Amino acid sequence: MSARVVNRSLLDKAESAANRNGSRQQILLGGVSFFALLLSSAPIAAQEIIDNGEVSAPGLWQITDYLYVGDSGNGTLTIGPNAQVTAPTVRLGNQAGSSGTILVSGSNASLQSDSLRVGMAGHGTLTISNGGQVNTAVSSHIGSEAGSDGRVLVTGEGSRWNSGAVVVGRNGTGTLIIADGADVVSTATAWIGYGAKGEASVTGGGSTWSVSTLSIGRDAQGSLSIEGGGKLTSLGQAIIGEASSGALSVTGTASSWSANEVFVGLGGVGELSITSNGKVAASDFMIGVEAQGSVTVGQSSSLDSGYLSVGFNSAGSLAVRDGGSVAATELYLGEFAKGSGTLSLSGAGLTVSGPLLGVGVLGHGNLTVSNGASVTTGRDTALGIEAGSRGVVAVTGDGSRLTTSTMYIGQSGYGELTIGAGGLVSNVNTYMGNLAGSEGMATIAGENARWESSANMGVGVRGTGNLTVGTGGTVSNVNGYIGQYGGSNGTATVEGENARWENTNILHVGSQGSGTLRIGAGGTVMSAGSTIASSAASKGSVSVEGKNARWLVSSNLLVGVGDANSKSAPADWSAIMAARSAFPRIRRALSRWRARVRPGPIRVMLWSGAVAPAL
């Protein structure tokens, strides 16, 4: 309907119509509004449409049906200090091509409704400022129908918007901004990117958004940023990437997100970024649930969670760098069969206070600790937990370290540990290839690469284990077992300049299973005592070959002690091995020394030419 100039007779007719119950009042203005006069005499109406004009609300304005601001044209409503407007349904930009604006500003300024549509089919803008209040009992859409766009700004200390469900980008484009100390409370679900693109931000110290449940990227792209000291609280589930792409960022000092249960990548791609001293805390946190999920924690920011799963049942990644930190009660990488979880720490910290750090539970898990990063667990670390799983851990770089209690490398699946130059792993007991059918591998190589087990080291406990100590690498423990229990198969290779394996007590090669020890050029193995094939069913094999290859046994070396045919070493073995004083006399005459042990008689083979081990 075209704009018209309001005259006195029109005002009289409108006044009379406003006083009839159930009437519809439609005032069309071409210039500055005369509505202050009109509405002061008619505070109660059934419907109101503000088109092609600007209106300032009186002290109290009650509408029993609906309020349209910008029905087919352009309309503006200002609700100033002490003005209160109530209407069950409020629409801004009702029809396609229309534009509606509402300003709620000042002390005691308020707008009350059950249903609020900011950009119904056209363009809508709602601004709440300077202590203004808006209360929406049931639901609010920002960008409601296809082709629409809506924008809500809540700004300034004391400004507040209370709503039931909030949809930012229902089927049209939606934007929500909470700034400069304002508050928004959503008592039901808040969707960002429901059926069309939605964007939201909480920015500035004191700005807060509290939601019951949160979905970012339901069926369309959604994004939310928390910055400059803003705070987000989600009381129920929070989903980033529900069925479409969703992104959330928390950045800046005092910026935070407090959550209950978080899914990043539920059915769509989800991304979370925590930077510049931002903080996120949740009870349960899952990354890569049924779709790809990724989380980045950097620049002295933190992520704290009770239960944390990376690669829950899809591809999930967590990158922690530049002084960032992650703390969890329990942490799993690649939790279910389809899960693939990657956790990389670079110059950052990880603390797992509860029962387990699991790398590859039913799926695949990968943990990288580098550039001075640290991992500390309250109890155990397990790689390759269930059959078919795969867990890989790498610790490399000066100051990089992993500290844990018991370490399982291949519990029932495949586990692999690599310690590179400058890396350190410290733990109590180690089980490589722990259960039947499992496989565990460890490689320690590089300048100052160290693995310190304060108790026992099992290489092939009931499954298959392989230990390689290369140039510059050091492994230390109390007792060492290669092929520990029946059915196991263990292999250890120590070779390269300054490669060392230090057993402060006994090294068993083929304890009850099959064990092989190879000491190559430059490698050193030390033990207080040692056994080779110490039970009737076991097999043990040791070779010491190459320049500066050494096996240093400070006490007894027992060979085939569990085999009825091997309880007594033959004379030539006794002559060489029984007394340490024998070795200086043959050191210059021998090139290589090897003991091969099989069930049955012991065979000792001597070759001439270089240096024998000094025992």
Side-chain angles (χ1 to χ4, degrees):
M1 187 177 295
S2 60
R4 292 177 293 173
V5 178
V6 176
N7 55 36
R8 182 67 258 171
S9 61
L10 178 60
L11 286 175
D12 292 340
K13 291 177 182 179
E15 260 185 341
S16 176
N19 290 323
R20 293 196 300 269
N21 186 30
S23 66
R24 170 172 171 161
Q25 183 181 49
Q26 181 169 322
I27 306 299
L28 304 171
L29 301 177
V32 178
S33 173
F34 299 104
F35 265 40
L37 172 63
L38 173 64
L39 296 178
S40 63
S41 62
I44 300 176
Q47 304 98 9
E48 288 290 348
I49 296 177
I50 302 173
D51 238 348
N52 299 318
E54 300 179 2
V55 173
S56 294
L60 176 63
W61 186 12
Q62 183 177 350
I63 301 167
T64 60
D65 192 355
Y66 60 77
L67 168 65
Y68 294 169
V69 180
D71 180 31
S72 59
N74 301 330
T76 299
L77 170 63
T78 299
I79 305 173
N82 299 311
Q84 300 176 21
V85 176
T86 301
T89 299
V90 177
R91 294 181 180 180
L92 288 68
N94 187 43
Q95 300 182 42
S98 65
S99 178
T101 300
I102 294 181
L103 308 174
V104 184
S105 181
S107 176
N108 295 319
S110 70
L111 171 63
Q112 315 280 337
S113 68
D114 293 328
S115 171
L116 173 63
R117 303 293 184 260
V118 182
M120 180 65 185
H123 172 75
T125 301
L126 169 64
T127 300
I128 309 167
S129 63
N130 299 317
Q133 307 279 314
V134 172
N135 296 297
T136 311
V138 180
S139 66
S140 302
H141 293 180
I142 307 173
S144 186
E145 295 183 357
S148 67
D149 68 277
R151 183 179 187 272
V152 174
L153 170 63
V154 189
T155 181
E157 185 175 352
S159 301
R160 187 179 180 91
W161 181 21
N162 298 313
S163 180
V166 173
V167 185
V168 184
R170 174 61 173 85
N171 287 310
T173 302
T175 302
L176 169 62
I177 301 170
I178 307 165
D180 301 326
D183 300 310
V184 173
V185 176
S186 307
T187 58
T189 301
W191 286 280
I192 305 171
Y194 185 95
K197 183 178 179 181
E199 297 179 346
S201 63
V202 183
T203 180
S207 301
T208 68
W209 188 9
S210 175
V211 303
S212 177
T213 57
L214 174 66
S215 172
I216 304 173
R218 185 186 185 275
D219 287 319
Q221 181 181 348
S223 64
L224 170 61
S225 63
I226 314 299
E227 57 191 24
K231 298 183 184 301
L232 170 67
T233 301
S234 54
L235 304 176
Q237 290 185 343
I239 302 169
I240 305 173
E242 183 173 351
S244 185
S245 61
L248 192 155
S249 64
V250 181
T251 183
T253 300
S255 299
S256 67
W257 177 23
S258 176
N260 183 12
E261 190 175 38
V262 176
F263 302 90
V264 182
L266 179 63
V269 176
E271 298 179 0
L272 169 63
S273 173
I274 313 167
T275 58
S276 302
N277 295 294
K279 298 182 183 300
V280 173
S283 298
D284 297 324
F285 209 103
M286 285 145 278
I287 306 170
V289 183
E290 295 293 341
Q292 181 179 337
S294 62
V295 175
T296 301
V297 183
Q299 301 166 329
S300 302
S301 298
S302 65
L303 169 62
D304 295 340
S305 181
Y307 160 80
L308 174 58
S309 178
V310 183
F312 181 82
N313 199 36
S314 186
S317 65
L318 172 58
V320 192
R321 56 178 181 247
D322 302 329
S325 66
V326 171
T329 302
E330 50 187 321
L331 169 60
Y332 303 102
L333 308 179
E335 185 166 358
F336 288 93
K338 295 181 181 179
S340 176
T342 301
L343 170 55
S344 60
L345 297 113
S346 176
L350 168 66
T351 302
V352 181
S353 59
L356 184 64
L357 165 59
V359 183
V361 182
L362 285 165
H364 291 183
N366 192 301
L367 169 62
T368 302
V369 186
S370 63
N371 296 323
S374 66
V375 177
T376 303
T377 75
R379 288 179 57 184
D380 301 336
T381 298
L383 288 61
I385 295 176
E386 300 293 342
S389 65
R390 180 183 178 89
V392 177
V393 174
V395 182
T396 183
D398 290 342
S400 300
R401 64 185 301 152
L402 167 62
T403 304
T404 188
S405 181
T406 299
M407 193 161 193
Y408 301 91
I409 304 175
Q411 170 69 358
S412 290
Y414 174 83
E416 181 179 327
L417 171 66
T418 299
I419 306 174
L424 169 64
V425 173
S426 301
N427 65 292
V428 182
N429 289 299
T430 300
Y431 302 99
M432 299 172 59
N434 189 42
L435 300 180
S438 65
E439 183 178 359
M441 298 183 64
T443 301
I444 302 87
E447 184 178 0
N448 204 30
R450 294 176 295 154
W451 188 4
E452 300 174 351
S453 287
S454 61
N456 298 329
M457 170 82 66
V459 183
V461 180
R462 293 177 181 85
T464 299
N466 192 308
L467 171 64
T468 300
V469 186
T471 299
T474 299
V475 176
S476 63
N477 49 266
V478 178
N479 295 300
Y481 298 88
I482 307 173
Q484 188 167 357
Y485 295 111
S488 64
N489 193 325
T491 301
T493 301
V494 183
E495 184 174 18
E497 185 177 359
N498 295 322
R500 297 173 66 87
W501 185 10
E502 302 171 355
N503 299 267
T504 58
N505 196 29
I506 309 299
L507 173 60
H508 303 271
V509 183
S511 177
Q512 296 178 30
S514 176
T516 300
L517 172 62
R518 179 179 175 272
I519 307 172
T524 299
V525 174
M526 302 173 63
S527 61
S530 194
T531 67
I532 304 174
S534 57
S535 69
S538 64
K539 297 180 181 180
S541 175
V542 178
S543 66
V544 184
E545 305 178 64
K547 183 178 181 180
N548 294 324
R550 299 185 300 167
W551 187 11
L552 309 180
V553 183
S554 61
S555 183
N556 295 323
L557 173 59
L558 304 176
V559 183
V561 295
D563 194 313
N565 297 318
S566 306
K567 290 186 180 298
S568 299
D572 57 351
W573 178 265
S574 300
I576 297 170
M577 303 298 294
R580 295 180 62 189
S581 59
F583 280 92
R585 294 195 296 271
I586 65 171
R587 182 175 291 131
R588 288 183 298 275
L590 299 180
S591 169
R592 295 181 296 172
W593 168 88
R594 175 180 291 169
R596 290 180 178 172
V597 181
R598 305 187 178 109
I602 296 173
R603 297 178 58 206
V604 179
M605 292 177 289
L606 303 175
W607 290 267
S608 62
V611 179
L615 301 184

